[in-house]
Amino acid sequence: MDDENDPLRLDRQVCFPLYAASNRLTRAYRPILDRLGLTYAQYLVMLVLWEEAPQSVGSIGARLHLDSGTLTPLLKRLEAAGLVTRRRDPEDERRLIVTPTETGAALRAEAQDVPMSLCEALGLTEVEMHELAGAVGTVTRLLQHDT
Amino acid sequence: MDDENDPLRLDRQVCFPLYAASNRLTRAYRPILDRLGLTYAQYLVMLVLWEEAPQSVGSIGARLHLDSGTLTPLLKRLEAAGLVTRRRDPEDERRLIVTPTETGAALRAEAQDVPMSLCEALGLTEVEMHELAGAVGTVTRLLQHDT
DNA sequence: CAAATTTATATTGCGCACAATATAATTTGA
DNA sequence: TCAAATTATATTGTGCGCAATATAAATTTG
Protein backbone atom coordinates (compact mmCIF):
# COMPACT_ATOMS: atom_id res chain seq x y z
CA MET A 1 0.00 0.00 0.00
CA ASP A 2 2.92 2.39 0.69
CA ASP A 3 3.15 3.44 -2.92
CA GLU A 4 6.88 4.26 -2.89
CA ASN A 5 8.05 0.79 -1.96
CA ASP A 6 5.28 -1.27 -3.49
CA PRO A 7 7.08 -4.25 -5.05
CA LEU A 8 4.29 -4.65 -7.62
CA ARG A 9 4.69 -1.26 -9.29
CA LEU A 10 5.60 -1.75 -12.94
CA ASP A 11 8.48 0.70 -12.75
CA ARG A 12 10.01 -1.33 -9.93
CA GLN A 13 10.08 -4.51 -12.01
CA VAL A 14 13.65 -5.31 -12.94
CA CYS A 15 12.66 -7.84 -15.57
CA PHE A 16 9.99 -6.00 -17.50
CA PRO A 17 12.46 -3.69 -19.28
CA LEU A 18 14.38 -6.77 -20.37
CA TYR A 19 11.22 -8.28 -21.81
CA ALA A 20 10.40 -5.00 -23.53
CA ALA A 21 13.95 -4.70 -24.88
CA SER A 22 13.88 -8.22 -26.27
CA ASN A 23 10.57 -7.58 -28.05
CA ARG A 24 11.95 -4.34 -29.42
CA LEU A 25 15.03 -6.09 -30.78
CA THR A 26 13.01 -8.73 -32.56
CA ARG A 27 10.96 -5.94 -34.14
CA ALA A 28 14.14 -4.11 -35.18
CA TYR A 29 15.59 -7.24 -36.77
CA ARG A 30 12.44 -8.05 -38.73
CA PRO A 31 12.72 -5.63 -41.68
CA ILE A 32 16.42 -6.41 -41.99
CA LEU A 33 16.00 -10.17 -41.96
CA ASP A 34 12.95 -10.00 -44.22
CA ARG A 35 15.41 -9.29 -47.02
CA LEU A 36 16.99 -12.71 -46.34
CA GLY A 37 13.63 -14.39 -45.87
CA LEU A 38 14.53 -15.29 -42.29
CA THR A 39 12.90 -14.76 -38.90
CA TYR A 40 15.12 -13.85 -35.96
CA ALA A 41 15.08 -17.39 -34.55
CA GLN A 42 15.87 -18.81 -37.99
CA TYR A 43 18.74 -16.32 -38.32
CA LEU A 44 20.17 -17.56 -35.02
CA VAL A 45 19.99 -21.17 -36.20
CA MET A 46 21.77 -20.22 -39.43
CA LEU A 47 24.47 -18.39 -37.44
CA VAL A 48 25.08 -21.59 -35.48
CA LEU A 49 25.21 -23.68 -38.67
CA TRP A 50 27.45 -21.21 -40.48
CA GLU A 51 29.92 -21.59 -37.63
CA GLU A 52 29.94 -25.36 -37.65
CA ALA A 53 28.09 -27.88 -39.80
CA PRO A 54 26.61 -30.38 -39.77
CA GLN A 55 25.07 -30.27 -36.34
CA SER A 56 22.37 -32.25 -34.58
CA VAL A 57 19.12 -30.68 -33.39
CA GLY A 58 20.35 -31.16 -29.85
CA SER A 59 23.62 -29.30 -30.31
CA ILE A 60 21.87 -26.39 -32.05
CA GLY A 61 19.40 -26.30 -29.18
CA ALA A 62 22.14 -26.36 -26.56
CA ARG A 63 23.77 -23.39 -28.22
CA LEU A 64 20.58 -21.32 -28.42
CA HIS A 65 18.81 -22.65 -25.31
CA LEU A 66 15.90 -23.90 -27.41
CA ASP A 67 14.25 -27.31 -27.34
CA SER A 68 12.91 -29.62 -30.05
CA GLY A 69 9.42 -28.24 -29.64
CA THR A 70 10.75 -24.99 -31.03
CA LEU A 71 13.44 -26.30 -33.34
CA THR A 72 11.72 -29.17 -35.12
CA PRO A 73 9.09 -27.03 -36.88
CA LEU A 74 11.60 -24.20 -37.41
CA LEU A 75 14.07 -26.57 -39.10
CA LYS A 76 11.30 -27.99 -41.26
CA ARG A 77 10.57 -24.47 -42.46
CA LEU A 78 14.26 -23.90 -43.20
CA GLU A 79 14.24 -27.18 -45.10
CA ALA A 80 11.12 -26.18 -47.03
CA ALA A 81 12.89 -22.89 -47.89
CA GLY A 82 15.78 -24.92 -49.31
CA LEU A 83 18.32 -23.65 -46.78
CA VAL A 84 19.10 -26.87 -44.90
CA THR A 85 18.78 -30.63 -45.24
CA ARG A 86 17.62 -32.92 -42.44
CA ARG A 87 18.66 -36.56 -42.33
CA ARG A 88 19.10 -39.19 -39.63
CA ASP A 89 22.61 -39.98 -38.45
CA PRO A 90 23.36 -43.52 -39.71
CA GLU A 91 25.65 -43.99 -36.67
CA ASP A 92 22.76 -43.26 -34.32
CA GLU A 93 19.32 -43.20 -35.84
CA ARG A 94 17.97 -41.10 -32.97
CA ARG A 95 20.02 -38.11 -34.04
CA LEU A 96 18.96 -35.77 -36.81
CA ILE A 97 21.79 -34.19 -38.77
CA VAL A 98 21.15 -30.69 -40.05
CA THR A 99 23.35 -29.38 -42.88
CA PRO A 100 23.11 -26.10 -44.80
CA THR A 101 22.44 -26.56 -48.52
CA GLU A 102 24.54 -24.64 -51.03
CA THR A 103 21.84 -21.98 -50.99
CA GLY A 104 21.90 -21.92 -47.20
CA ALA A 105 25.69 -21.60 -47.13
CA ALA A 106 25.61 -18.89 -49.79
CA LEU A 107 23.10 -16.89 -47.76
CA ARG A 108 25.93 -16.18 -45.33
CA ALA A 109 27.36 -13.65 -47.76
CA GLU A 110 24.01 -11.83 -47.90
CA ALA A 111 23.97 -11.75 -44.11
CA GLN A 112 27.36 -10.08 -43.72
CA ASP A 113 25.96 -6.62 -43.14
CA VAL A 114 23.02 -7.61 -40.95
CA PRO A 115 24.85 -6.68 -37.73
CA MET A 116 25.75 -3.26 -39.10
CA SER A 117 22.22 -2.70 -40.44
CA LEU A 118 20.80 -3.50 -37.04
CA CYS A 119 23.24 -1.10 -35.40
CA GLU A 120 21.97 1.61 -37.72
CA ALA A 121 18.33 0.64 -37.18
CA LEU A 122 18.88 1.05 -33.43
CA GLY A 123 20.61 4.38 -34.00
CA LEU A 124 23.68 3.32 -32.05
CA THR A 125 27.25 4.45 -32.55
CA GLU A 126 30.05 1.90 -32.27
CA VAL A 127 30.89 3.26 -28.83
CA GLU A 128 27.30 2.89 -27.66
CA MET A 129 27.26 -0.62 -29.11
CA HIS A 130 30.20 -1.45 -26.88
CA GLU A 131 28.42 0.03 -23.86
CA LEU A 132 25.40 -2.08 -24.72
CA ALA A 133 27.54 -5.19 -25.03
CA GLY A 134 29.00 -4.50 -21.59
CA ALA A 135 25.62 -4.03 -19.95
CA VAL A 136 24.22 -7.12 -21.67
CA GLY A 137 27.23 -9.07 -20.45
CA THR A 138 26.52 -8.02 -16.87
CA VAL A 139 22.88 -9.05 -17.21
CA THR A 140 23.90 -12.42 -18.61
CA ARG A 141 26.48 -13.05 -15.91
CA LEU A 142 23.96 -12.25 -13.15
CA LEU A 143 21.23 -14.39 -14.64
CA GLN A 144 23.52 -17.38 -15.08
CA HIS A 145 23.72 -18.12 -11.37
CA ASP A 146 21.08 -20.79 -11.93
CA THR A 147 20.70 -22.64 -15.25
CA MET B 1 36.46 -15.28 -43.05
CA ASP B 2 39.00 -13.90 -40.49
CA ASP B 3 37.44 -15.87 -37.69
CA GLU B 4 38.41 -13.47 -34.90
CA ASN B 5 36.50 -10.49 -36.28
CA ASP B 6 33.71 -12.30 -38.09
CA PRO B 7 30.59 -10.22 -37.32
CA LEU B 8 28.39 -13.30 -37.76
CA ARG B 9 29.88 -15.35 -34.94
CA LEU B 10 27.21 -16.10 -32.35
CA ASP B 11 29.43 -15.00 -29.48
CA ARG B 12 29.87 -11.62 -31.12
CA GLN B 13 26.12 -10.99 -31.26
CA VAL B 14 25.20 -8.32 -28.74
CA CYS B 15 21.52 -9.06 -28.92
CA PHE B 16 21.42 -12.83 -28.65
CA PRO B 17 22.20 -12.86 -24.91
CA LEU B 18 19.32 -10.45 -24.41
CA TYR B 19 16.97 -12.76 -26.28
CA ALA B 20 18.26 -15.73 -24.27
CA ALA B 21 17.92 -13.80 -20.99
CA SER B 22 14.36 -12.80 -21.80
CA ASN B 23 13.40 -16.41 -22.56
CA ARG B 24 15.06 -17.51 -19.35
CA LEU B 25 13.13 -14.97 -17.33
CA THR B 26 9.79 -16.05 -18.75
CA ARG B 27 10.69 -19.63 -17.83
CA ALA B 28 11.67 -18.58 -14.32
CA TYR B 29 8.39 -16.72 -13.81
CA ARG B 30 6.23 -19.59 -15.04
CA PRO B 31 6.17 -21.88 -11.98
CA ILE B 32 5.71 -18.85 -9.71
CA LEU B 33 2.84 -17.36 -11.72
CA ASP B 34 1.25 -20.77 -12.24
CA ARG B 35 0.17 -20.52 -8.61
CA LEU B 36 -1.84 -17.42 -9.54
CA GLY B 37 -3.08 -18.92 -12.80
CA LEU B 38 -1.35 -16.18 -14.80
CA THR B 39 1.12 -16.13 -17.67
CA TYR B 40 3.91 -13.55 -17.61
CA ALA B 41 2.15 -11.27 -20.08
CA GLN B 42 -1.09 -11.57 -18.13
CA TYR B 43 0.81 -10.73 -14.93
CA LEU B 44 2.16 -7.57 -16.57
CA VAL B 45 -1.36 -6.52 -17.60
CA MET B 46 -2.60 -7.10 -14.05
CA LEU B 47 0.30 -5.02 -12.67
CA VAL B 48 -0.78 -2.17 -14.92
CA LEU B 49 -4.40 -2.52 -13.83
CA TRP B 50 -3.55 -2.83 -10.15
CA GLU B 51 -1.76 0.50 -10.44
CA GLU B 52 -4.62 2.30 -12.12
CA ALA B 53 -8.06 1.15 -13.16
CA PRO B 54 -10.06 1.22 -15.26
CA GLN B 55 -7.89 1.57 -18.32
CA SER B 56 -8.46 1.28 -22.04
CA VAL B 57 -6.78 -1.37 -24.18
CA GLY B 58 -4.72 1.37 -25.75
CA SER B 59 -3.36 2.74 -22.50
CA ILE B 60 -2.43 -0.74 -21.26
CA GLY B 61 -0.70 -1.35 -24.58
CA ALA B 62 1.19 1.94 -24.41
CA ARG B 63 2.48 1.02 -20.98
CA LEU B 64 3.65 -2.48 -22.01
CA HIS B 65 4.54 -1.79 -25.66
CA LEU B 66 1.97 -4.32 -26.86
CA ASP B 67 -0.73 -3.91 -29.50
CA SER B 68 -4.34 -5.02 -29.78
CA GLY B 69 -3.29 -8.14 -31.68
CA THR B 70 -1.64 -9.32 -28.49
CA LEU B 71 -3.92 -7.71 -25.93
CA THR B 72 -7.39 -8.46 -27.27
CA PRO B 73 -7.14 -12.24 -26.93
CA LEU B 74 -5.14 -11.95 -23.70
CA LEU B 75 -7.82 -9.73 -22.14
CA LYS B 76 -10.53 -12.12 -23.28
CA ARG B 77 -8.71 -14.89 -21.43
CA LEU B 78 -8.46 -12.72 -18.30
CA GLU B 79 -12.18 -12.02 -18.64
CA ALA B 80 -12.93 -15.73 -19.06
CA ALA B 81 -10.86 -16.35 -15.91
CA GLY B 82 -13.07 -13.87 -14.08
CA LEU B 83 -10.26 -11.40 -13.37
CA VAL B 84 -11.40 -8.42 -15.47
CA THR B 85 -14.48 -7.04 -17.15
CA ARG B 86 -14.48 -5.55 -20.65
CA ARG B 87 -17.07 -3.00 -21.68
CA ARG B 88 -17.27 -0.20 -24.21
CA ASP B 89 -16.81 3.35 -23.00
CA PRO B 90 -20.24 5.04 -23.32
CA GLU B 91 -18.41 8.37 -23.88
CA ASP B 92 -16.55 6.95 -26.87
CA GLU B 93 -17.79 3.64 -28.19
CA ARG B 94 -14.46 2.94 -29.87
CA ARG B 95 -12.72 2.54 -26.53
CA LEU B 96 -12.86 -0.64 -24.47
CA ILE B 97 -12.70 -0.15 -20.74
CA VAL B 98 -10.95 -2.88 -18.80
CA THR B 99 -11.62 -3.13 -15.06
CA PRO B 100 -10.44 -5.74 -12.56
CA THR B 101 -13.25 -7.70 -10.95
CA GLU B 102 -13.25 -8.18 -7.18
CA THR B 103 -11.43 -11.46 -7.77
CA GLY B 104 -8.92 -9.71 -9.99
CA ALA B 105 -8.32 -6.98 -7.44
CA ALA B 106 -8.01 -9.54 -4.65
CA LEU B 107 -5.38 -11.45 -6.61
CA ARG B 108 -3.04 -8.56 -5.91
CA ALA B 109 -2.57 -9.79 -2.36
CA GLU B 110 -1.60 -13.23 -3.63
CA ALA B 111 0.94 -11.60 -5.93
CA GLN B 112 2.74 -9.65 -3.20
CA ASP B 113 5.61 -12.09 -2.90
CA VAL B 114 6.03 -12.85 -6.60
CA PRO B 115 8.99 -10.43 -6.94
CA MET B 116 10.76 -12.04 -3.98
CA SER B 117 10.02 -15.55 -5.22
CA LEU B 118 11.50 -14.69 -8.57
CA CYS B 119 14.57 -13.26 -6.92
CA GLU B 120 15.00 -16.56 -5.07
CA ALA B 121 14.32 -18.61 -8.20
CA LEU B 122 17.11 -16.69 -9.95
CA GLY B 123 19.40 -17.22 -6.98
CA LEU B 124 20.13 -13.52 -6.66
CA THR B 125 20.95 -11.59 -3.50
CA GLU B 126 19.47 -8.15 -2.99
CA VAL B 127 22.83 -6.61 -3.93
CA GLU B 128 22.99 -8.62 -7.17
CA MET B 129 19.40 -7.63 -7.88
CA HIS B 130 20.49 -4.00 -7.72
CA GLU B 131 23.42 -4.68 -10.04
CA LEU B 132 20.99 -6.34 -12.42
CA ALA B 133 18.63 -3.37 -12.25
CA GLY B 134 21.52 -1.06 -13.09
CA ALA B 135 22.65 -3.09 -16.09
CA VAL B 136 19.08 -3.44 -17.34
CA GLY B 137 18.69 0.31 -16.99
CA THR B 138 21.74 0.88 -19.16
CA VAL B 139 20.41 -1.51 -21.80
CA THR B 140 17.05 0.24 -21.78
CA ARG B 141 18.56 3.70 -22.06
CA LEU B 142 20.75 2.66 -25.01
CA LEU B 143 17.91 0.96 -26.85
CA GLN B 144 15.58 3.92 -26.44
CA HIS B 145 17.45 6.10 -28.92
CA ASP B 146 14.83 5.14 -31.49
CA THR B 147 11.25 4.28 -30.50
C1' DC C 1 -23.83 18.60 -42.52
C1' DA C 2 -21.84 15.04 -45.46
C1' DA C 3 -17.58 13.07 -47.08
C1' DA C 4 -12.94 12.15 -45.96
C1' DT C 5 -9.75 11.26 -42.43
C1' DT C 6 -8.38 9.68 -38.12
C1' DT C 7 -8.65 6.79 -34.06
C1' DA C 8 -9.57 2.48 -31.28
C1' DT C 9 -10.18 -2.10 -31.17
C1' DA C 10 -10.82 -6.66 -33.44
C1' DT C 11 -9.54 -10.31 -36.65
C1' DT C 12 -6.49 -13.27 -39.34
C1' DG C 13 -2.44 -15.62 -40.14
C1' DC C 14 2.24 -16.94 -39.09
C1' DG C 15 6.02 -18.28 -36.29
C1' DC C 16 7.92 -18.85 -32.19
C1' DA C 17 8.63 -20.76 -26.93
C1' DC C 18 7.66 -24.23 -24.07
C1' DA C 19 5.33 -27.86 -21.08
C1' DA C 20 3.76 -32.39 -21.52
C1' DT C 21 3.76 -36.39 -23.77
C1' DA C 22 4.93 -39.87 -27.38
C1' DT C 23 8.01 -42.65 -30.11
C1' DA C 24 11.91 -44.90 -31.32
C1' DA C 25 16.79 -45.98 -30.92
C1' DT C 26 20.61 -46.89 -27.86
C1' DT C 27 22.72 -48.14 -23.57
C1' DT C 28 22.87 -50.36 -19.14
C1' DG C 29 22.83 -53.96 -16.04
C1' DA C 30 20.89 -57.96 -13.60
C1' DT D 1 20.57 -61.43 -23.40
C1' DC D 2 16.94 -58.98 -22.76
C1' DA D 3 14.22 -55.92 -19.92
C1' DA D 4 14.62 -51.44 -17.88
C1' DA D 5 16.47 -47.03 -18.15
C1' DT D 6 18.26 -43.40 -20.88
C1' DT D 7 18.68 -40.44 -24.84
C1' DA D 8 17.18 -37.87 -29.11
C1' DT D 9 13.73 -36.06 -31.66
C1' DA D 10 8.77 -35.43 -32.75
C1' DT D 11 4.02 -34.20 -31.63
C1' DT D 12 0.29 -31.71 -29.34
C1' DG D 13 -1.71 -27.91 -27.31
C1' DT D 14 -1.58 -23.19 -25.29
C1' DG D 15 -0.38 -18.50 -25.35
C1' DC D 16 2.03 -14.96 -26.87
C1' DG D 17 3.98 -11.03 -30.42
C1' DC D 18 3.20 -8.82 -34.37
C1' DA D 19 2.23 -7.49 -39.32
C1' DA D 20 -1.61 -6.76 -42.15
C1' DT D 21 -6.13 -5.90 -42.59
C1' DA D 22 -10.99 -5.01 -41.21
C1' DT D 23 -14.60 -2.59 -38.83
C1' DA D 24 -16.79 0.88 -36.64
C1' DA D 25 -16.97 5.16 -34.13
C1' DA D 26 -15.43 9.85 -33.69
C1' DT D 27 -13.34 13.93 -35.67
C1' DT D 28 -12.10 17.04 -39.19
C1' DT D 29 -13.04 19.60 -43.37
C1' DG D 30 -14.86 21.34 -47.33
Side-chain angles (χ1 to χ4, degrees), chain A residues 48-66:
Chain A
V48 168
L49 288 171
W50 286 330
E51 263 183 37
E52 181 177 343
Q55 285 201 53
S56 69
V57 172
S59 63
I60 295 169
R63 203 77 198 286
L64 300 176
H65 311 299
L66 295 173

Side-chain angles (χ1 to χ4, degrees), chain A residues 6-10 15 17-19 22 24-25 44 47 51 108 115 124 128 132 136 140 142-143 145-146, chain B residues 6-10 17-19 22 24-25 44 47 51 108 115 123-124 128 132 136 140 142-143 145-146:
Chain A
D6 184 347
L8 292 183
R9 274 177 41 176
L10 185 64
C15 299
L18 217 59
Y19 158 90
S22 178
R24 176 192 298 260
L25 280 173
L44 291 176
L47 287 184
E51 263 183 37
R108 193 182 191 291
L124 293 180
E128 290 169 323
L132 181 60
V136 169
T140 300
L142 287 166
L143 289 181
H145 278 226
D146 64 326
Chain B
D6 183 346
L8 293 182
R9 273 177 42 176
L10 185 64
L18 217 57
Y19 157 89
S22 179
R24 176 192 297 261
L25 279 174
L44 291 176
L47 287 185
E51 261 182 39
R108 193 182 192 290
L124 293 179
E128 289 170 325
L132 181 60
V136 168
T140 299
L142 287 166
L143 289 181
H145 278 226
D146 63 328

Side-chain angles (χ1 to χ4, degrees), chain A residues 10 12 17 20 33 39 48-49 51 60 72-73 91 93 100 102 109-110 113 115-117 123 133 137-138:
Chain A
L10 185 64
R12 296 207 34 166
L33 294 177
T39 65
V48 168
L49 288 171
E51 263 183 37
I60 295 169
T72 296
E91 305 278 302
E93 292 279 345
E102 260 187 57
E110 313 285 315
D113 53 352
M116 207 186 61
S117 299
T138 301

Side-chain angles (χ1 to χ4, degrees), chain A residues 68-83:
Chain A
S68 72
T70 301
L71 288 174
T72 296
L74 187 157
L75 289 167
K76 285 183 178 175
R77 281 187 285 269
L78 288 180
E79 185 181 43
L83 298 177

Side-chain angles (χ1 to χ4, degrees), chain A residues 82-134:
Chain A
L83 298 177
V84 305
T85 60
R86 299 162 67 245
R87 63 175 212 288
R88 289 287 162 182
D89 183 347
E91 305 278 302
D92 182 343
E93 292 279 345
R94 289 171 307 180
R95 301 176 88 88
L96 189 81
I97 300 300
V98 183
T99 316
T101 60
E102 260 187 57
T103 310
L107 194 66
R108 193 182 191 291
E110 313 285 315
Q112 279 295 334
D113 53 352
V114 166
M116 207 186 61
S117 299
L118 181 79
C119 208
E120 281 169 22
L122 294 176
L124 293 180
T125 65
E126 203 155 340
V127 170
E128 290 169 323
M129 209 61 190
H130 265 87
E131 276 188 80
L132 181 60

Side-chain angles (χ1 to χ4, degrees), chain B:
Chain B
M1 299 293 188
D2 56 353
D3 230 41
E4 262 325 276
N5 292 326
D6 183 346
L8 293 182
R9 273 177 42 176
L10 185 64
D11 61 9
R12 296 208 33 168
Q13 304 305 308
V14 171
C15 300
F16 165 63
L18 217 57
Y19 157 89
S22 179
N23 286 345
R24 176 192 297 261
L25 279 174
T26 304
R27 275 195 301 272
Y29 264 111
R30 192 182 308 270
I32 296 166
L33 293 176
D34 269 355
R35 300 200 285 265
L36 306 183
L38 295 174
T39 64
Y40 182 56
Q42 290 167 9
Y43 172 65
L44 291 176
V45 168
M46 292 309 295
L47 287 185
V48 169
L49 288 172
W50 285 329
E51 261 182 39
E52 182 177 344
Q55 286 201 53
S56 69
V57 172
S59 63
I60 295 169
R63 203 76 199 285
L64 300 178
H65 312 298
L66 295 173
D67 70 3
S68 72
T70 300
L71 287 176
T72 297
L74 186 157
L75 289 168
K76 285 182 177 174
R77 281 186 286 269
L78 287 181
E79 184 181 42
L83 298 178
V84 305
T85 60
R86 299 162 67 247
R87 63 175 211 287
R88 290 285 163 184
D89 183 348
E91 305 279 301
D92 181 343
E93 292 280 345
R94 293 171 304 180
R95 303 175 88 87
L96 189 81
I97 300 300
V98 182
T99 315
T101 60
E102 260 188 57
T103 310
L107 194 65
R108 193 182 192 290
E110 312 284 315
Q112 279 293 335
D113 53 351
V114 166
M116 206 186 61
S117 298
L118 182 79
C119 208
E120 281 169 19
L122 295 175
L124 293 179
T125 64
E126 202 155 339
V127 171
E128 289 170 325
M129 209 62 191
H130 264 88
E131 277 188 78
L132 181 60
V136 168
T138 301
V139 169
T140 299
R141 182 174 50 77
L142 287 166
L143 289 181
Q144 253 162 3
H145 278 226
D146 63 328
T147 299

